[in-house]
Amino acid sequence: MNLQHIITEIEKTDTEFLKKVDSRRNTIKNFNRFIGKVSLVALPFALGGLFKKANGQSTSGIIDVLNYALTLEYLEAAFYQNGNNVANTLIPTAPARQAIATIGSHETAHVNFLKTAITASGGTPVSSPSFDFTAGGTFGDVFTNYNTFLAVAQTFEDTGVRAYKGQAGALISNNDVLTAALNIHSVEARHASHIRQMRKANGFGDVKPWITGKDSGIGEVVQASYNGEEVTMQAGIEITNINNFSISSAAASEAFDEPLTMMQVLNIVKPFIK
Amino acid sequence: MTTKTSNDKQQLSRRNFIGYASAVTAIAALAACSKDDNDMPSSSSGIDLGSGDTGILNYAYALEQLEAAFYKQVTDTPFSGITAAETALLTDIRDHEIAHREFFKKALGSSAIPGLEVNFSGIQFNDRTSVLNTAKAFEDLGVSAYNGAGKLITNPDYLLIAGKIVSVEARHAAYIRDLISNGSFADNTVIDANGLDRGRSPMEVLMIASSFLKSKINASNLPTP
C-alpha cells in the first residue's frame, strides 16, 4: 500500500478528505464555529453517541483523524511486534526486552482502542497496510541490528508525538475524542523519552530524552521527522532568554515540541508502507 | 541507569496523593450538586485564576511556577550523590519549566496571576529519593493536568501550545521515573489498559498542588466541560 492508497482508504469514509487536508486552516475555522454550538450541550461520555449527534462534516473529519491515527498505530504496533518476535537475538538485555514489550503492548492497545472508537462512532476502521520496515533497504538490518532498531523506534515515537499534536485543533469540537487523543499523545512522548535514553545508554546517539534543536542523533535519513523542532518562538514570543532568564536557544527548543501536518507525516511513513 | 525503590515514607505520600484525588472527586460531585452556593472555601478567597481560556492559561502558569521553583531548588542545592548526567538533565528540566512559566507570564500580560509562594517544607532536597519522588509526582501531575485541561480550551492556538508543552512534561516524567526505577517510564500506575495516560480536572490537580503552595488558589471561575 502506498501513500495514495492510505488517502484512498480514508476517502472511502470521507470524500472531502483531501480538500480538508489541503485547507486545514479553513477546516479549523469551521470547527471553531461549530464548537460555539456544541459547548452549550451537556455531552454524554459514549463516543458513538457523540458522533451521531454531531453534524456530518465534523463527524467525518473526526473519523478521518482517528483513521489517520489508527494507520500510525498499525505501523508502530507491527514494528514492535516484529522486534519482539526476534527479541532474543535483537535486544541484548532483559530490561530492554521488557521495555520494548511494554511499548509494543501500548501500541497494540492503541490500535484496538481506536478501532473500537471508530466503529462506535459509526465509522469504518481502515485496514492495516503491509509494512516494509527496512524502508526499501534504507534500514536493511532493522531487525538484526539493535542500533538500527532503536533508531527507527525513536523516529516513529518522536514522529507519533508530532502527528497527534498536529491534529489537536481538528478535534477541538469533540471533548472526548480530543481527550483520548491527548492521553495517547503523552504516552507516545513517554515512549520517545525512554527509547532516547536507551540509545544514549548504548552509545548509539548523543541524545537526551527531549529533542534539542532539530537534531535526531541518527542522521539525514530521518531528518524530515525533526525539521521544525528547532523553533524558539512560541505564539510570537521568543523563548531564548525570555524575561531576562538565562534560557539557551537549545533549552528553548527543547521546552516545546512541535506539530507535523497529516501530509508531512504521511510522507515520512510512506517509505515504510508497501 | 540506577535503580532505587521507594521507601515507606514516599509510598505513604503516594497514598496521600491518591487519597487527595479521591477526596477531590467527592468534593467536585458535591459542588456540582450545589453550584449556586458560594460557601465552598475556595470559591471566594485566594488568587483568582479567572475564567475562560485566560483562566486555563493562569492555571497552567500556576503549575509551571510550582515546577520551576522546585527544580530551581533542586539545582541550587543538589541531592547528595547526584551524578554529572543527572545534574545536566535536571538543569535542562529546570530551564524548560522556567521557559514555560515565563512564556505564560508574558502571554498573559496584565491578566497573569501574581507569583505564588511555595511550600516545600516536606521535601528533603539533600535526599535523592525525596527529590526524585517529588519530581515524579509533579511531572505526572503536570501531564494529567494538561491532558485534562485540553477540552476546556476554546482557542486552537492555545490548545496547540498546551500540546507542545505536555509532551515535554511527559518526556520529563518518563526520565524521572526511569531514574527512580528503570523501565517505569509508562507503567500501569499511570497508563490504563487501553494504553492511555490519565487526565485530571483542575479541581483534582489543584487539591494535590495545594499541599506545595502557601498561596491559596481560587479556581471557581475556571470553565467546566
Side-chain angles (χ1 to χ4, degrees), chain A residues 106 110 158 165 172 175 183 185-187 189-190 193-194 197 208-211 234 243 245 254-255 257-258, chain B residues 92 96 100-103 140 147 151 154 156 159 163-164 167-168 170-171 175 178 182 185-186 194-195 197:
Chain A
H106 292 158
H110 295 165
D158 282 335
K165 203 185 317 293
I172 199 167
N175 283 352
N183 289 340
H185 169 247
S186 57
V187 174
R190 289 176 186 269
S193 174
H194 190 76
Q197 292 178 67
K208 301 175 186 178
W210 27 90
I211 302 170
Q234 298 296 339
N243 290 343
F245 283 88
E254 292 164 352
D257 280 339
E258 299 301 319
Chain B
D92 273 6
H96 301 164
H100 296 161
R101 180 189 69 196
E102 295 304 312
F103 167 80
D140 283 340
N147 280 351
K151 66 182 177 187
T154 63
L159 177 61
K164 290 179 177 204
S167 57
V168 175
R171 291 173 188 273
Y175 167 66
D178 283 336
N182 186 24
F185 56 97
N194 289 317
D197 230 311

Side-chain angles (χ1 to χ4, degrees), chain A residues 1 75 79 130-143 148 151-152 155-156 221-222 267-274:
Chain A
M1 188 183 288
L75 173 84
F79 173 74
S130 298
F131 297 109
D132 168 19
F133 292 109
T134 74
T138 304
F139 304 104
D141 57 358
V142 61
F143 294 121
T148 307
V152 175
T155 306
F156 284 168
V221 68
V222 300
N267 276 312
I268 285 167
V269 302
K270 186 178 171 182
F272 297 97
I273 293 173
K274 281 181 190 165

Side-chain angles (χ1 to χ4, degrees), chain A residues 100-119:
Chain A
I100 296 300
T102 297
I103 294 173
S105 74
H106 292 158
E107 309 301 5
T108 300
H110 295 165
V111 165
N112 293 330
F113 176 81
L114 290 168
K115 283 165 92 168
T116 303
I118 292 164
T119 304

Side-chain angles (χ1 to χ4, degrees), chain A:
Chain A
M1 188 183 288
N2 62 24
L3 179 61
Q4 190 53 50
H5 285 128
I6 296 177
I7 291 170
T8 307
E9 280 292 303
I10 296 176
E11 277 186 310
K12 281 180 189 168
T13 51
D14 179 12
T15 53
E16 299 288 291
F17 169 68
L18 266 184
K19 198 158 88 188
K20 279 185 272 180
V21 170
D22 287 342
S23 60
R24 175 61 62 191
R25 196 171 289 272
N26 286 332
T27 307
I28 289 171
K29 276 184 195 155
N30 289 337
F31 279 124
N32 274 339
R33 282 197 290 276
F34 181 63
I35 58 162
K37 295 167 200 160
V38 293
S39 61
L40 299 173
V41 182
L43 297 173
F45 182 74
L47 291 165
L50 282 176
F51 284 124
K52 280 161 193 158
K53 285 177 189 171
N55 75 34
Q57 187 189 3
S58 291
T59 303
S60 67
I62 285 170
I63 290 174
D64 288 345
V65 172
L66 292 173
N67 267 322
Y68 162 69
L70 175 60
T71 303
L72 298 179
E73 298 289 354
Y74 279 138
L75 173 84
E76 291 187 303
F79 173 74
Y80 291 109
Q81 184 63 54
N82 276 281
N84 283 321
N85 286 345
V86 293
N88 287 335
T89 54
L90 175 67
I91 305 171
T93 69
R97 283 194 288 274
Q98 182 55 52
I100 296 300
T102 297
I103 294 173
S105 74
H106 292 158
E107 309 301 5
T108 300
H110 295 165
V111 165
N112 293 330
F113 176 81
L114 290 168
K115 283 165 92 168
T116 303
I118 292 164
T119 304
S121 309
T124 305
V126 292
S127 54
S128 178
S130 298
F131 297 109
D132 168 19
F133 292 109
T134 74
T138 304
F139 304 104
D141 57 358
V142 61
F143 294 121
T144 54
N145 181 318
Y146 189 43
N147 188 345
T148 307
F149 177 76
L150 289 184
V152 175
Q154 180 193 302
T155 306
F156 284 168
E157 296 296 346
D158 282 335
T159 304
V161 173
R162 301 187 72 179
Y164 276 96
K165 203 185 317 293
Q167 297 308 311
L171 300 177
I172 199 167
S173 65
N174 191 307
N175 283 352
D176 293 310
V177 176
L178 172 64
T179 299
L182 288 172
N183 289 340
I184 295 176
H185 169 247
S186 57
V187 174
E188 304 293 349
R190 289 176 186 269
H191 294 170
S193 174
H194 190 76
I195 297 280
R196 297 172 74 91
Q197 292 178 67
M198 292 170 82
R199 292 192 63 242
K200 171 77 174 177
N202 282 280
F204 294 157
D206 188 15
V207 291
K208 301 175 186 178
W210 27 90
I211 302 170
T212 308
K214 58 178 180 181
D215 300 341
S216 66
I218 294 168
E220 186 58 31
V221 68
V222 300
Q223 195 54 47
S225 290
Y226 292 89
N227 286 339
E229 280 286 359
E230 71 277 17
V231 301
T232 59
M233 182 84 85
Q234 298 296 339
I237 294 171
E238 175 57 51
I239 304 300
T240 306
N241 296 330
I242 184 170
N243 290 343
N244 293 322
F245 283 88
S246 177
I247 304 297
S248 68
S249 59
S253 77
E254 292 164 352
F256 295 80
D257 280 339
E258 299 301 319
L260 286 172
T261 67
M262 198 180 281
M263 291 310 278
Q264 285 173 318
V265 171
L266 291 176
N267 276 312
I268 285 167
V269 302
K270 186 178 171 182
F272 297 97
I273 293 173
K274 281 181 190 165

Side-chain angles (χ1 to χ4, degrees), chain A residues 182-183 185-187 189-190, chain B residues 59 63-64 67 136-150 162 165-174 190-191 197-200 205:
Chain A
L182 288 172
N183 289 340
H185 169 247
S186 57
V187 174
R190 289 176 186 269
Chain B
Y59 166 58
L63 296 176
E64 298 293 352
E67 288 191 300
K136 176 174 113 173
F138 281 163
E139 297 295 350
D140 283 340
L141 183 68
V143 171
S144 70
Y146 281 102
N147 280 351
I165 292 174
V166 67
S167 57
V168 175
E169 303 291 355
R171 291 173 188 273
H172 295 168
V190 278
I191 310 300
D197 230 311
R198 72 170 69 193
R200 283 193 179 98
V205 169

Side-chain angles (χ1 to χ4, degrees), chain B residues 12 94 116 123 126 154-155 199:
Chain B
L12 180 62
R94 177 199 67 191
L116 301 176
I123 305 165
N126 63 346
T154 63
N155 181 323

Side-chain angles (χ1 to χ4, degrees), chain B residues 96-142:
Chain B
H96 301 164
E97 307 299 6
I98 291 173
H100 296 161
R101 180 189 69 196
E102 295 304 312
F103 167 80
F104 284 117
K105 184 179 184 182
K106 204 158 185 170
L108 281 157
S110 60
S111 300
I113 57 170
L116 301 176
E117 275 193 89
V118 296
N119 171 17
F120 291 153
S121 59
I123 305 165
Q124 288 87 54
F125 282 94
N126 63 346
D127 179 69
R128 175 189 172 86
T129 303
S130 177
V131 167
L132 293 183
N133 277 300
T134 307
K136 176 174 113 173
F138 281 163
E139 297 295 350
D140 283 340
L141 183 68

